[in-house]
Amino acid sequence: MPGGITTLSSRKQTGIDRVSDWRLLPFGSFPAGENMAIDEAVFRVVGRAGGPPTLRLYGWSSPAVSIGFFQDAAAEIDLAACRRAGVEVVRRPTGGRAVYHDDDLTYAVVAPERNPLFPPSIVGTYQVISRGLVRGLAGLGLAAELSPGDEGSGAGTTGAGAGAERSPGKTAGRLVRTPPAACFAVPSRHELLVAGRKICGSAQVRSRGAFLQQGSLLMSFAPEKTAAVLHLPGGTREERVAALRARATSLYEHLPRSVTREDVCRAVVEAFQELWQVSFLPGGLLPEEEELKNRLFADKYGRTGWNLAGGKGDKGAKEKI
Amino acid sequence: MKVFPDDLLYSREHVWVRVEGDLATIGITDYAQEKLGEVLAVELPEIDAEVERDEPFGAVESSKGTVELISPLTGNVMNVNEDLIDDIGIVNSDPHDTGWMIVVEMHDLDELDDLLDARGYHDFILQETDGD
């Protein structure tokens, strides 16, 4: 397994006992299915067994498209183009739109809903995490801001499906309203912007007293590759690429290539530490997380049926987790 | 403050239950839909699927995020609200009635004892601070 996340024998041994202690999983680049299996395993264990609040920063060992939990893969992605280009497809545990992962830095924040750092609301939690990311980017010399819908009260109706064609649909019993395909196609809520263009998109899921927030920070942006694998609305290929280019940006559009991924990780961790007044203690997966990760990969994220069609396309994935 | 119907029972996971014999109709509470905001998608189990108490039986995606639906009861799914296909907005507009989600044939009626009545649920959510 690449990345080498070590296994801890118990939470006690992590030394992560104080409210202000967070676990920092080591950076690694993994296959798409493994990335999602790790994030969900940590999320489940925090929710069920009180695992430590955790930050994970990671990459993708090969290009991939992650689709939102509710999305219909065939409708959102050019699956043949993905196969031709060797792009993996994975279904996220979080909702939201499709994201093309190539040269991006992905984060996962997992914590109990009642962690005192976070207000109980979904939007409030986005704001807390986003402000940490803004501070981290500022430390690198990049001025990012929360998208307008995310700042302030969080009230308003401009949602993840803003501008979406919201025709109700049904895929084999799943009830769906279809949001637009590409996360980076439209600035909306839960995004970080640089000069009005999206640099980071995020999505959150909550269950049994815990939340998982995942987000993708673009180190560099490849609108041609993105347009090649995602079904985007309207116009010619050139027009779709131009639209993507106008709406999204990346770290390396604003910072020199001498800024490494490690620099960004360090800046984000330091910003979270300062802003949240917490300590990040390097740690690995707990044994139950490791076991659950393997089960989630075998039952869900390593299976084409699950990744393309969700539970409706892969009955084996409906096992209790 | 919202009014929660007296003829329903409520879980601490913000799911309501209407009991008729050994059948339980289940949906999300008005409080839950308001916290979620505009519901964009719902995933529900298929008829004959088993649901288990304290386990997810589906999920809701809203304009703010995704929340799993936690079953307050163990049993078999007897019916799923197909009306949601045509108008998912009824989860927001009429959560306690036409926005119902599934009907479950309960395996153990004693599980109902852990649920709250309307007053108990009202008091429970008062303890929750909502920043939305």
Side-chain angles (χ1 to χ4, degrees), chain A residues 196-318:
Chain A
R197 293 156 73 205
K198 184 184 299 184
I199 195 167
C200 182
S202 301
Q204 191 184 122
V205 60
R206 291 175 170 237
S207 185
R208 281 184 288 210
F211 72 83
L212 160 66
Q213 183 165 317
Q214 299 173 311
S216 166
L217 174 70
L218 289 173
M219 299 291 291
S220 62
F221 183 43
E224 295 86 359
K225 289 181 182 174
T226 304
V229 295
L230 301 184
H231 288 149
L232 301 171
T236 64
R237 165 74 73 84
E238 289 71 26
E239 287 169 337
R240 295 197 294 272
V241 168
L244 280 173
R245 191 171 276 125
R247 290 169 182 157
T249 186
S250 69
L251 196 99
Y252 287 133
E253 273 192 46
H254 306 275
L255 297 178
R257 288 270 170 180
S258 57
V259 176
T260 64
R261 198 179 295 262
E262 289 69 32
D263 293 331
V264 180
C265 290
R266 195 178 308 115
V268 168
V269 171
E270 285 175 3
F272 284 180
Q273 285 195 148
E274 290 166 8
L275 204 59
W276 299 352
Q277 294 291 296
V278 299
S279 300
F280 282 94
L281 307 179
L285 293 179
L286 301 164
E288 56 263 47
E289 291 170 332
E290 187 73 36
E291 189 273 328
L292 182 54
K293 178 203 81 175
N294 292 335
R295 200 142 49 92
L296 287 164
F297 185 83
D299 292 347
K300 291 169 66 174
Y301 299 112
R303 297 171 76 118
T304 303
W306 168 261
N307 288 325
L308 298 189
K312 307 303 177 190
D314 190 352
K315 300 300 178 192
K318 277 305 200 184

Side-chain angles (χ1 to χ4, degrees), chain A residues 44 48 70 95-96 120-122 126 166 168 170 172 174-175 177 190 204-208 312 315, chain B residues 38 40-44 46 52 54-56 61 63-64 66-68 70 82 84-85 88-89 129 132:
Chain A
R44 298 296 174 191
R48 287 186 182 183
F70 292 88
S121 68
I122 294 173
Y126 274 113
R166 288 184 186 158
K170 181 180 180 182
R174 173 172 294 190
L175 314 177
R177 284 180 169 184
H190 314 323
Q204 191 184 122
V205 60
R206 291 175 170 237
S207 185
R208 281 184 288 210
K312 307 303 177 190
K315 300 300 178 192
Chain B
E38 183 187 5
L40 303 174
V42 178
E43 184 187 80
L44 296 174
E46 293 178 338
E52 191 175 338
D54 294 335
E55 294 292 330
E61 180 170 42
S63 54
K64 296 175 182 172
T66 300
V67 174
E68 285 191 331
I70 305 300
E82 298 281 329
L84 298 181
I85 299 167
I88 205 167
T129 307
D132 270 357

